[in-house]
Amino acid sequence: MAKKIKLLMFVPYSIHPMNAAPAIRAYKLYHALKKIVDVTLISRPSYNFMPNYSKIGYLNFLLSLFGQMSSEIIQLIKKNKIDYVYIEAFGAPLHSFDYVFLNALKKRDIPIFPFIMDTYWKYPEIFKRNAQSDKYCQMEYGWYLKNATALLFPSETMANTVNFPEKFALPPAGDPSRCLNQKLPDNKNITYMGEISPAMGIDILMKSIEIVIKKQPDAQFTIVGHENKELMVKCKNKNYITFMINKTYKDIPNILSDTYATIIPRQVNPYNDFAMPVKLLDYMSSGRPVITTNCHETARFIQENNCGIITEDNPNSIAKGILKLLENRDLAEIYGKNAFLAIKNKHSWKHRAEELVKIMEKY
């Protein structure tokens, strides 16, 4: 791949701190792209990192920053120093000044490749609607449908839900350098990372835990995510459950190094069927076997890489999957090794960056 390619990467939110999947994805992909193309990153600053600004001051800062940024981008466009544009879409609402330079790019016929990370507004039966958020998302979505060269999605299943002539899957990836120890620890610790809410299957998991403990009393469960006081109160006397609250991306390798197996207990529905959780690749990067419910894309990925157990989305089935790994260390070790090698050999951020460049070079 030629280093002469000049890529503009637009991330309409802050990539620091890396406390959510979109920021992790953008940060990792940017640094992988830097090694193979000439990439210019445009990313919005975080209000949390600017404590001296009021909200009005922050808005004024953004407007001032946009004036400088817009001038520099226009100069790049005029000098033909942008070959392609990659956009991490829907991580935050676009502002009117974002559309100014996007329209300028389109006017110059520069190929534009938005990554459509979400289409949640299409599933009102699953997600609570927010009229203002829906308005912004649909406006942005409409712009991409009209102006994009090709659309990128986390999975083929998600791409198939969108009527657009040019579309590709660009799943999340992993980082094998984050594996601190490929050897499974001498414990029975099962780790869940993510949102501690029913939407992510935490209720199903809690019921599964009780079934497992009856048969494996020395099993331990670690739940990593944002605080859920109600659940923590319910579990305060359950010494086999540990909550790790508000941990950062930097903490994850240490947590997973002390983990025997990992779990994704999501409920099966049309939305979760096309999802590809970034945490799945983090689990695999650490060389840990994965227990997941049979959401289509996640289950397919696990099966293709022979790195875990697929269950139904109910407590008994999930408990059965957990027990199978707890009772068969050899199998757990095989799955963990396969997980790590899958990331190292074909699913690292380096591989994803190369895939993205190959897609863009088609146009």
Side-chain angles (χ1 to χ4, degrees):
M1 278 164 280
K3 290 190 176 181
K4 293 180 181 179
I5 288 177
K6 295 178 175 60
L7 174 65
L8 180 66
M9 181 174 179
F10 177 42
V11 182
Y13 51 87
S14 174
I15 60 175
H16 292 289
M18 289 193 292
N19 58 0
I24 293 168
R25 179 189 176 93
Y27 178 90
K28 289 291 187 178
L29 185 58
Y30 167 65
H31 283 279
L33 285 165
K34 279 176 64 177
K35 297 178 180 178
I36 58 175
V37 299
D38 182 0
V39 56
T40 299
L41 173 68
I42 301 173
S43 176
R44 196 158 288 152
S46 170
Y47 178 72
N48 294 331
F49 279 77
M50 306 175 68
N52 295 326
Y53 280 97
S54 65
K55 288 187 177 180
I56 294 176
Y58 176 67
L59 178 59
N60 288 335
F61 171 81
L62 278 181
L63 292 171
S64 173
L65 179 67
F66 170 73
Q68 178 184 353
M69 179 185 74
S70 179
S71 175
E72 293 175 357
I73 293 172
I74 296 301
Q75 290 303 312
L76 286 173
I77 296 172
K78 287 182 177 179
K79 294 177 181 178
N80 294 319
K81 289 192 174 182
I82 300 175
D83 297 318
Y84 303 103
V85 179
Y86 171 77
I87 304 171
E88 283 276 332
F90 301 115
L94 293 186
H95 297 296
S96 57
F97 46 72
D98 294 320
Y99 289 105
V100 171
F101 82 82
L102 288 177
N103 286 327
L105 292 165
K106 181 61 180 178
K107 190 174 181 181
R108 285 285 182 130
D109 291 324
I110 297 172
I112 298 172
F113 300 85
F115 174 75
I116 310 298
M117 70 175 68
D118 210 339
T119 54
Y120 72 88
W121 63 90
K122 291 185 175 184
Y123 300 90
E125 70 280 8
I126 299 173
F127 296 97
K128 292 181 179 179
R129 304 302 292 265
N130 181 304
Q132 186 174 14
S133 178
D134 285 359
K135 177 183 176 182
Y136 283 124
C137 285
Q138 291 178 32
M139 183 186 303
E140 182 177 350
Y141 187 58
W143 193 94
Y144 297 140
L145 291 178
K146 182 179 179 181
N147 297 291
T149 304
L151 298 180
L152 309 170
F153 298 89
S155 70
E156 289 185 10
T157 303
M158 183 177 176
N160 291 337
T161 68
V162 176
N163 183 19
F164 195 81
E166 299 292 312
K167 51 192 178 182
F168 301 89
L170 193 72
D175 181 355
S177 70
R178 286 169 61 80
C179 181
L180 301 184
N181 188 350
Q182 290 185 49
K183 186 177 183 297
L184 297 185
D186 293 324
N187 63 31
K188 296 182 178 181
N189 182 29
I190 310 297
T191 294
Y192 165 83
M193 299 192 313
E195 185 180 337
I196 305 177
S197 73
M200 294 295 105
I202 197 68
D203 291 356
I204 302 173
L205 176 59
M206 300 311 290
K207 293 175 182 177
S208 303
I209 289 173
E210 299 306 316
I211 297 171
V212 171
I213 289 298
K214 288 178 181 178
K215 296 187 177 182
Q216 291 276 351
D218 55 343
Q220 293 289 317
F221 293 84
T222 300
I223 297 175
V224 185
H226 295 299
E227 188 174 35
N228 183 320
K229 291 182 179 179
E230 181 180 354
L231 184 60
M232 292 172 70
V233 168
K234 289 181 180 179
C235 297
K236 67 178 181 179
N237 295 322
K238 298 179 179 180
N239 58 7
Y240 45 88
I241 300 177
T242 300
F243 288 90
M244 303 185 77
I245 303 304
N246 298 329
K247 295 296 180 180
T248 68
Y249 187 64
K250 291 181 179 180
D251 297 321
I252 299 306
N254 281 318
I255 294 170
L256 292 178
S257 70
D258 192 43
T259 292
Y260 179 82
T262 58
I263 191 160
I264 301 176
R266 291 184 175 185
Q267 183 178 0
V268 176
N269 58 46
Y271 180 84
N272 286 336
D273 269 341
F274 67 57
M276 272 292 289
V278 172
K279 64 186 168 193
L280 167 61
L281 285 299
D282 282 331
Y283 289 167
M284 294 173 63
S285 295
S286 291
R288 296 302 180 258
V290 183
I291 303 142
T292 182
T293 51
N294 54 342
C295 296
H296 178 72
E297 284 290 344
T298 305
R300 180 188 60 79
F301 197 79
I302 294 295
Q303 289 172 332
E304 284 182 357
N305 294 288
N306 191 30
C307 60
I309 291 177
I310 314 301
T311 76
E312 297 178 8
D313 60 343
N314 64 70
N316 286 323
S317 183
I318 292 173
K320 184 178 179 180
I322 294 171
L323 289 167
K324 183 174 181 178
L325 285 188
L326 290 178
E327 294 165 359
N328 193 336
R329 185 179 179 90
D330 288 344
L331 181 63
E333 288 177 343
I334 290 170
Y335 285 156
K337 181 179 179 180
N338 289 346
F340 178 80
L341 290 177
I343 298 300
K344 181 181 178 181
N345 294 333
K346 56 184 176 180
H347 293 297
S348 71
W349 287 109
K350 173 180 178 293
H351 294 110
R352 288 297 178 270
E354 291 171 350
E355 289 172 26
L356 174 58
V357 173
K358 285 181 180 178
I359 291 169
M360 293 188 298
E361 286 182 323
K362 296 176 185 287
Y363 300 90

